Amino acid sequence: EEGVPFKAAMLGGAAFELMPKMHSHFAAGHITMVCAVMLTPWLLWVVRRQRKINFNAAMWSGVVLGGIALADLRWAAYAGALWGMYCLYLFGCAHLGNWRKDTGQFWKAVGGLGLRMAISVVLALGIAAPQLIPLMEYSPLTTRSMLTPADNLSFALPLERLINLAFPDIGGYAET
């Protein structure tokens, strides 16, 4: 799609799938997290495939984003933020030249982008509703809702362990 040579595309895909973080999540049993992360390129592909941010892209973006939310809600926030930034990037590439020529047309395009992004979010929330509604209902009843900030930070990733995002700690703790 991007015009990258086949070998480079295969290398990039293999590097994405072989990330140490994904293998540690898989080994820890976080299969749904791995599935959600692996759907993220599809989310960006759907937007990019349309070349213009149109209603068809909005619907398919909502479907894939809803699937990511169903697979793992933790990743849905990151995928949604990435999707939003990518939509804005594509919009800027397509319409920024119109800013000086015709500001009325530019602001009309901005409104259209906002509407299409809202459609995607509403569709994604509708798809993820079977998981979101019970989660909102039962989350306050769990023991985790009573954790203090100190309790939450007890297993936080120390700064010196950030290197393990790129280089795995073979035999180390799966959460880090």
Side-chain angles (χ1 to χ4, degrees), residues 20-21 23-25 27-28 161 164 167-176:
K21 183 114 174 97
H23 285 278
S24 64
H25 277 294
R161 303 291 291 197
N164 295 124
F167 301 101
D169 180 17
I170 304 299
Y173 183 51
E175 293 295 328
T176 58

Side-chain angles (χ1 to χ4, degrees), residues 61-158:
S61 296
V63 168
V64 177
L65 193 56
I68 290 171
L70 280 177
D72 196 294
L73 277 174
R74 297 170 294 182
W75 187 253
Y78 300 112
L82 179 64
W83 164 80
M85 289 186 288
Y86 193 57
C87 285
L88 291 174
Y89 167 75
L90 290 178
F91 176 80
C93 289
H95 295 286
L96 215 50
N98 293 340
W99 171 256
R100 294 182 189 225
K101 294 177 189 171
D102 184 3
T103 56
Q105 188 71 12
F106 177 78
W107 287 111
K108 184 178 177 183
V110 169
L113 174 69
L115 177 64
R116 291 185 292 271
M117 289 179 79
I119 289 170
S120 295
V121 170
V122 168
L123 185 59
L125 289 172
I127 289 172
Q131 182 176 357
L132 290 173
I133 292 170
L135 182 69
M136 289 187 303
E137 184 176 340
Y138 293 116
S139 290
L141 304 175
T142 65
T143 55
R144 285 186 174 236
S145 67
M146 295 180 276
L147 291 177
T148 66
D151 295 332
N152 285 332
L153 292 174
S154 64
F155 288 109
L157 185 66

